[in-house]
Structures are given as C-alpha cells and as structure tokens.
C-alpha cells in the first residue's frame, strides 16, 4: 500500500505537468483567434527577420504603411517551398489584429498567386510548431 501511495505521488505531478503543458499552447493560440480578421494588399517596404516574431511592413494603395507580425522562422519558409517576402514584393495578407498587433495568418503573392498559411485557422497556432508547412494544395 505504501508503494502505491509513493507511485501516485510521483505519477500525479507528472501527469499534471504533461497535460498542463499540452493545454497551454492551444489557449495561447486561441488568443490570436479572438481578434478581428482583415485582408490588406500592398507592396512590402521592409522585412524583419527577428526569429519567429519577424515581420513585414506593407505600403497600402492609400499610402499608409502597416506592420504585420509573425512571419515565422526561415526554416518554415524553406520547408514550405515558398519564398519569404522581400522588399518590393506585391502581397495580400490575411491578418488577425490582437492588442494592436497584426498577426499574419496567410500571405499571397499578387504576381503569381502563390499562397501560404502560417497559422492554423482552427487553433490559431503557428504551423511551424507542428513541423508541417502551410503551402496550400496544388502548389
């Protein structure tokens, strides 16, 4: 009986740790989906490569520039087979605005229609967390 109690004392905290960690990511990701979804099209005027938080600035037709966050790591773009945006590219982006930040959901190149999703539209989690790419079918 004593061994059973000791085993329970060891196993229970491990289960809580494992299940707590697994449920933390979806709740963090769900925050992204609580925002307002919008689409913008324009020309990329700046690119930041600061890790997963990297972003781009897009100049809209009205002359206004918007900052889009959450490009993801370079490795994600390489795996997807889609070129990461660069200055001068004409793009359309779908973003979700949360706490005054435009979080990238997907990006489409105007020139050839190549499109990539960077976040799961159901969970809001970055696709690079899953190790898969966001390239849409047929590309």
């Amino acid at each position: 009986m004593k061994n059973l109690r000791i085993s329970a004392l060891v196993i229970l905290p491990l289960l809580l740790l494992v299940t707590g960690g697994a449920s933390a990511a979806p709740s963090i990701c769900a925050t992204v989906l609580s925002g307002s979804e919008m689409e913008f099209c324009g020309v990329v005027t700046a690119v930041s490569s600061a890790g997963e938080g990297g972003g781009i600035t897009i100049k809209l037709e009205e002359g206004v520039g918007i900052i889009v966050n959450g490009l993801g790591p370079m490795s994600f773009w390489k795996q997807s087979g889609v070129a990461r945006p660069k200055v001068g590219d004409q793009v359309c982006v779908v973003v979700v605005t949360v706490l005054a930040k435009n979080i990238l959901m997907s990006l489409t190149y105007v020139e050839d229609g190549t499109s990539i999703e960077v976040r799961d539209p159901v969970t809001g989690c970055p696709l690079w967390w899953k190790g898969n790419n966001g390239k849409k079918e047929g590309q």
Side-chain angles (χ1 to χ4, degrees):
M1 188 68 162
K2 188 175 183 177
N3 285 342
L4 182 60
R5 273 188 263 161
I6 291 171
S7 295
L9 288 174
V10 170
I11 293 172
L12 184 59
L14 287 174
L15 283 174
L16 290 174
L17 179 65
V18 169
T19 58
S23 64
S27 66
I28 291 169
C29 297
T31 302
V32 170
L33 298 178
S34 69
S36 304
E37 186 173 289
M38 294 183 279
E39 183 175 8
F40 298 102
C41 295
V43 177
V44 176
T45 59
V47 179
S48 165
S49 59
E52 292 182 8
I56 56 176
T57 302
I58 300 172
K59 183 178 177 184
L60 307 178
E61 288 181 13
E62 302 83 34
V64 176
I66 65 158
I67 297 172
V68 178
N69 297 291
L71 281 178
M74 293 284 214
S75 59
F76 170 75
W77 289 81
K78 285 181 184 175
Q79 282 180 336
S80 74
V82 175
R84 205 162 194 251
K86 61 186 180 309
V87 172
D89 287 341
Q90 289 190 334
V91 298
C92 289
V93 295
V94 174
V95 301
V96 175
T97 304
V98 180
L99 300 172
K101 283 190 171 185
N102 296 311
I103 309 298
L104 183 64
M105 296 295 287
S106 66
L107 180 140
T108 302
Y109 289 96
V110 173
E111 185 177 316
D112 65 4
T114 299
S115 183
I116 183 170
E117 289 185 357
V118 298
R119 287 187 176 267
D120 185 307
V122 175
T123 66
C125 289
L127 292 175
W128 57 87
W129 283 7
K130 297 178 184 178
N132 59 6
N133 66 51
K135 192 170 165 185
K136 290 186 178 178
E137 288 183 35
Q139 296 179 6

